[in-house]
Amino acid sequence: MSEQGHSRVGTAVDGRGCVIAVFDSGVDPAAAGLAQTPSGAPKVLDVIDCTGSGDVKMAPLPADRVSVLESGAVRLVGDRSRVLLTNATWKNPDGKWRYASKWLFDILPGRLRKRIKAERKKTFRVHHRAAEAAATNALGEHMKGSPPKDEVQHADWRKQKEELEERLNILKNLKVFVEAEDPGPVIDCVSWHDGTCWRAAFDSREVESGQEFSEFESVPLPEAVNCLADLQREVDEVLSQAAASQAVRADSLKDASSSVKGVLADFYPMTNFSAERAWSQFGDNYSCSFCVNFYDDGDILSIVTDCSPHGTHVAGIAASYHPEQPELNGVAPGAQIISCKIGDSRLGSMETGTGLTRALSAALRHKVDVINMSYGEPVHEVNAGRFVSLAEEVTPPPPPP
């Protein structure tokens, strides 16, 4: 509808009071026009992953992997011996922490995943060439001149030569592995109960500008070369010490003072989207918004991302509100949105019966007025099946003519 058309009908019929459930690929709460309604109410009331594709099973960290520091921060040891530091301002009355790691590519939209893989491969090649050149030069320097004649010195010289050769072999083998298939970065997920609700924070240092590559290159080449796992542990310790020495603010991601991007302590803790409507992003380069929900008394952490921009497009057509550019408004700028993601990221955005049923349940729970589902594929028989039966049960009959 044009701006002139809106002025004719007035603001009383802009959809305010109406809640629209969007059954689709997911709605990005950070998208332009989806922040609030003309009355100042939040535009997106809830963002739900009905497919379970972003579910993470959280497990309690054992006591030997949790230690409280003098600063009040807590040192956690996650998978791969990853050292994590919490923020001292976070409230955790019972002192219990839950942890899990997650391959980030499992929850990213397909097209974004493809782009990031190409960029990571390019970044890896740059850092890998530098590391391989350093290892080659170290071996060359070691081989200059004649081996010591003293038996003990000769044995040490030979041992160091073998280790330098092995490092070079490891780097060559690593190149073959990563070039074949990049599994992507891993994010560390930490959750706890703050006395009021469950909260989650994430360590995404691997996501930030290929730090898992640059960290490896930045470690000085020791005389006695260690294995890659030992080097990773050394880097983690250095990063954790650096984070501990910083006065990290918990009220803003952008104002965090830690010199290392993506560390756990810099993350602003999130709870169920419907409670605080908070969203964040993994890394500056990913441009993929996410939010979280908890289920089963904190056992399941749901990381909600969209699997394509289609759902956001649909929500914008229906209800976007652009106060500075009203010509961009949706059909009902006063309406509010419930995002029900029915496209499973693990199945190339295909919907499933389970996801559709959960979406209907969410629509009933939120007492929505309209359900939009412009989603699907050709079928042999229309208006048939279990989902259609459930939809007919929850949808009131049309009014008489």
Side-chain angles (χ1 to χ4, degrees), residues 210-263:
Q211 283 188 141
E212 75 273 36
F213 304 141
S214 58
E215 289 169 6
F216 173 76
E217 181 191 357
S218 65
V219 177
L221 186 69
E223 291 186 1
V225 181
N226 297 314
C227 67
L228 291 176
D230 290 338
L231 287 174
Q232 181 64 65
R233 282 192 288 271
E234 290 178 23
V235 173
D236 284 336
E237 292 289 350
V238 171
L239 291 175
S240 296
Q241 291 170 9
S245 66
Q246 302 288 336
V248 181
R249 292 179 57 182
D251 60 341
S252 172
L253 286 170
K254 295 182 179 178
D255 294 336
S257 59
S258 173
S259 60
V260 180
K261 288 185 176 181
V263 294

Side-chain angles (χ1 to χ4, degrees), residues 136-212:
T136 302
N137 290 337
L139 181 59
E141 289 292 328
H142 182 73
M143 296 299 293
K144 284 183 178 179
S146 303
K149 295 182 179 180
D150 180 79
E151 185 176 349
V152 175
Q153 293 181 351
H154 182 80
D156 291 340
W157 180 91
R158 185 176 59 190
K159 181 178 179 181
Q160 190 173 356
K161 170 179 172 291
E162 292 173 353
E163 291 195 2
L164 289 169
E165 290 174 337
E166 185 60 26
R167 177 182 179 107
L168 191 56
N169 288 333
I170 289 175
L171 286 169
K172 291 179 178 178
N173 292 334
L174 182 64
K175 179 180 179 181
V176 173
F177 172 75
V178 176
E179 290 284 349
E181 178 58 35
D182 177 14
V186 173
I187 55 173
D188 297 280
C189 314
V190 176
S191 65
W192 69 98
H193 199 282
D194 68 359
T196 303
C197 61
W198 287 98
R199 294 199 175 270
F202 302 89
D203 187 291
S204 59
R205 71 185 79 158
E206 282 192 10
V207 179
E208 298 286 352
S209 303
Q211 283 188 141
E212 75 273 36

Side-chain angles (χ1 to χ4, degrees), residues 61 65-78 81-90 97 99 188 190 192 201-205 236-248 250 258 260 262-269:
L61 274 174
R65 293 167 64 180
V66 179
S67 55
V68 181
L69 306 181
E70 293 183 1
S71 64
V74 180
R75 182 181 185 273
L76 310 175
V77 181
S81 298
R82 175 75 84 190
V83 177
L84 309 168
L85 281 182
T86 70
N87 193 302
T89 64
W90 296 348
W97 302 88
Y99 171 85
D188 297 280
V190 176
W192 69 98
F202 302 89
D203 187 291
S204 59
R205 71 185 79 158
D236 284 336
E237 292 289 350
V238 171
L239 291 175
S240 296
Q241 291 170 9
S245 66
Q246 302 288 336
V248 181
S258 173
V260 180
V263 294
L264 180 71
D266 285 353
F267 195 91
Y268 181 71

Side-chain angles (χ1 to χ4, degrees), residues 88-118:
T89 64
W90 296 348
K91 296 180 180 179
N92 185 355
D94 63 9
K96 296 179 181 179
W97 302 88
R98 296 187 180 188
Y99 171 85
S101 59
K102 181 73 172 177
W103 291 103
L104 187 58
F105 281 177
D106 288 350
I107 58 177
L108 293 184
R111 283 186 288 182
L112 175 61
R113 184 166 59 246
K114 183 178 180 180
R115 174 175 69 83
I116 295 299
K117 279 190 174 184

Side-chain angles (χ1 to χ4, degrees), residues 271-294:
T271 188
N272 290 350
F273 182 85
S274 62
E276 296 179 352
R277 298 182 179 87
W279 57 267
S280 186
Q281 293 182 336
F282 291 119
D284 298 333
N285 192 37
Y286 279 52
S287 300
C288 179
S289 304
F290 75 94
C291 55
V292 303
N293 290 306
F294 284 95

Side-chain angles (χ1 to χ4, degrees), residues 317-328:
I317 294 173
S320 63
Y321 173 58
H322 300 266
E324 303 300 326
Q325 295 178 283
E327 68 274 13
L328 300 180

